[in-house]
Amino acid sequence: MGLKLKQSYRHSVTVRVNEQMGTKRGYTFIQANRAWLPKFLLLWVMVMAFLSAWIYKNMDDDNKVRRKEVLSSMCDQRARMLQDQFGVSVNHVHALAILVSTFHYYKDPSAIDQETFAEYTARTAFERPLLSGVAYAERVRLSEREKFERQHGWTIKTMKREPSPIRDEYAPVIFSQETVSYIESLDMMSGEEDRENILRARATGKAVLTSPFRLLGSHHLGVVLTFPVYKSKLPPKPTMEERIEATAGFLGGAFDVESLVENLLGQLAGNQAILVNVYDITNSSDHLIMYGHQNQDGDLALFHESKLDFGDPFRKHQMICRYHQEAPTSWTALTTAFLFFVICLLVGYILYGAAIHIVKVEDDFHEMQELMVRAEAADVAKSQFLATVSHEIRTPMNGILGMLALLLDTDLSSTQRDYAQTAQVCGKALITLINEVLDRAKIEAGKLELETVPFNLRSILDDVLSLFSEKSRNKGLELAVFVSDKVPEMVMGDPGRFRQIITNLVGNSVKFTERGHIFVKVHVAENPKPIDDAKAETCLNGGSDEGALISGGRQFNTLSGYEAADEQNSWDSFQHLFNAEALQNDASGKMTVADEASQSVTLMVSVEDTGIGIPLIAQERVFTPFMQADSSTSRNYGGTGIGLSITKCLVELMGGHISFISRPQVGSTFLFITTFGRCKKASLSDTKKSNAEDLPSSFRGLKAIVVDGKPVRAVVTRYHLKRLGMLVEVANNVKIAASACGKNSSSCGSKIQPDIVLVEKDSWLSGEDDSSSLQRLDWKQNGHMFKLPKMILLATNITNAELEKAKAAGFADTTIMKPLRASMIAACLQQVLGTGKKRQLGKGMLNGSSVLGSLLCGKKILVVDDNIVNRRVAAGALKKFGAAVECAESGKAALKLLRLPHSFDACFMDIQMPEMDGFEATRRIRMMESQTNEQMNGGTDKGSGRKDEWHLPILAMTADVIHATSDECLKCGMDGYVSKPFEEENLYQAVAKFFETKPISDS
Amino acid sequence: MDVVNQMQRQFVDYSTSLHREGILDDQFTQLQKLQDENSPDFVVEVASLFFEDCEKLINNMARALEQQGVDFKQVDASVHQLKGSSSSIGAVQVKNVCIAFRSFCEAQNREGCLRCLQQVTHEYSLLKNKLQTLFRLEQQILAAGGSIPVIE
């Protein structure tokens, strides 16, 4: 119970661990942050919006900078040109001033008069396109006014064309260009602007400008340029006073700035785009406009200032340029940014979609995984349930069966006995089924473990055969086994499971076969020969085909003469294989040495029947559990169809594989190939005692003739006889046997003088009519000279009449019923030859407590159980069978009692005990024994014929007989187990193993 | 002789009724079979051993269950013992209660355990009474010079 609990606990733990692993493994980054996904998307969109805005701004700024650069370069260009043109005009005026001083003052009389001046200036006007006109005003002091007025014949007038009032100085215009002739005789000093200009000019000696004002005549804004004209040469560095003193007059010109700038701008490209203003900024707080509109429109945000230098250091001018229109919105920047944004938006959406998809897929995956885990858990739970239920059913079933057995021991009327027996058979069938289900569940749950112990394959096959001998005999089937000589005597593997496989297959075959044979063959599958070779050889052995026709139909060269599904297994190939092996064995001893050197041996086991076969449609689901060929199968033949699936599982567990060939109405051949370990010689000798078949050796060297028309069958018989160490000849029919015998006896004495002649019933019957009397004579003849050979009839089933006939015909000695088994043949031969003095304890004695009594009588047995009641009951039961019982109430007490040497013959051990349980106690006992054994072997090596080793049979007593418990029992050194409370049969079976052989060997 | 016959019939009836009521099972019959001239008091001996054992175990369990922190392991061990004994003697009712008892022990269910203990005590005293009656009958038969009939 505890064991089971532990297992289920471990199981649920593994499931849970799996689950955890699953969830842990499944979480990816995306999965972990799934709640954040929409936020990630939003963030992404925002970042991208910001980025596109930034891009737009960048591009726009670029544009603005470029615009500004364009503006400044245009503005600078305009300013420079204006300045240049202005400079040129100023230079010309300067030149005029020098002209006047040269020709008016230095020449005497003056070389210039108004006409000359007017003409000259008119003709050189192209040089001064910016000046509307030039005029020369002479400096007239008050004292000189009258002389001057007289000389020129006009009075000096003010700007307002009135006679000038009296001043210190006057500057009346005496020469003027025709364009400005209206200012002749006007006193320039009377104008505020001009006066200031004049004063500044003569002080500095340079050209000076007025602030802008509306010009007389054109009402354009303009400035007046004034140059001083000196009458004498000035000293190199004249002072201001010297300049003033030397001043003779002033040359002036009016710059029409407005038209000047207008012209200038007209010549330049991009005129329309920009707006130009020119200011006089001498007075920094009040900028006077020289050109352009005071009310400013256009792009107010962006302007460029350029300095203008018109040569007058006193005055400062600047030009301000603006664009006419606001900067146009930059469409490229806008579209670029927008497209960028859209693309990013799409990319973001795609990523988001992908992430959502991943999350969904992962969710699905997890769901699937969970479902899978649940499904697996359900599967495991199913297996566990099956195991548990099977176990729970077994316990009461054991009770039922035990009680039925007890019931059968009592006095029953025949009807009651029949009922009880039926119930017992049914119960046993049910237990078998439950065991199968349990096996299946165990295999599925992976709890089935295979043993690796040495075992004798041949004896196991014989056992299986004996199991089915009753059934096959009833059905009239030939049941035979043949193991190739090359198969080693002992192999390493799981005998229980091997037996189970064979039992399943043979059981199946027996169930589905109504006529013909079932043939189990074991070969070494090392070098399978091609079949063609075998076919070729058939002709050589063709002589044996005699009698191939029997009344009714074709005879096949199989065991029983019926057709088998797998033709490879017919006599042709079989014989070939057989011959080949014989050859190899004879020819090369090396070969076997080499074989034995290898660690493992691969065996090919086939089970051939001539049953109903498997329908083609059902062939593919033969190994599926609970599947039979069709529903009618279970109706006709019973069974659940679980056997083959278990068989397949077991074969695969052993590392082999199973296959089959089947033809409906012909038969099926199941074939499995699996590998067993080879037994090492050393370990073999150890275990031989317990496991090897005990075939008597008293028949060694005896000669036998097998008379059989069917070669396969003959070979099988020969195989069994050979195992007994006999020399075997095969004869096809009685005549050949007789003649061979006779010939040999006459020619060369007792070379092949047979001790035994085994005649197959078929051969005898077919040869009987013509030659029975004759042959008897023959034998008799031989009998005069030699020992009469024993005549043995081999039969599958035989009627009483036939038996009588056979006895009459000379087979008085005995009849061996098939299936043949070596041990059985040995027993029969013992009986016939008289060598076997003591009969073995057969199965027939297995009823009643007398057997048990005889087994246990006088044995000293120790019962270990902590429960006093159980102890008493067990002791009572054993005492009843004549055993001397001693009791121990704990494992420790038992150890004390069993301290070597002791006189106990066996020990029954409870498993569940406080302090030291049965397993532990057994382990210790075994330890004690092995120590003592070692000492004995070491000290008295050849300790003659005393008890060779200490090994006390220990049997577990347990209330629940599960496989696991029994496995554990064997593992810790126990020899078996009995269920508690004691049942006679169970007890007998357990005890028989140890006490059966002993009385014989001891006596 | 009539008296003996009557007693014998009574004995058979009584023991079959015990079986029918499910108080005893075939194991008890097996025990009876074990009894022969070599060990004439085998059944009585085993039964008295069983009673002693039972009383001891029931006391143990009662004591263990009364304590504050119940040692379920100890209780379980006692129940296991009791189950073994009862199945050996064939006291099927006691055994069945023990099975339920053990599952409560595993579940560490104190209430359930106490209930089971009560049941066990009850079944036990019932069994004891019945068996003692049976044994008394046996004694009477023997005293009257009859033989104990074998129950199949």
Side-chain angles (χ1 to χ4, degrees), chain A residues 623-643:
Chain A
F623 292 118
T624 321
F626 304 109
M627 283 283 189
Q628 284 191 327
D630 54 57
S631 52
S632 69
T633 311
S634 55
R635 225 177 298 132
N636 295 335
Y637 297 97
T640 53
I642 198 176

Side-chain angles (χ1 to χ4, degrees), chain A residues 968-979:
Chain A
E968 185 115 351
C969 288
L970 298 179
K971 215 176 276 171
C972 70
M974 289 184 174
D975 298 278
Y977 60 89
V978 292
S979 63

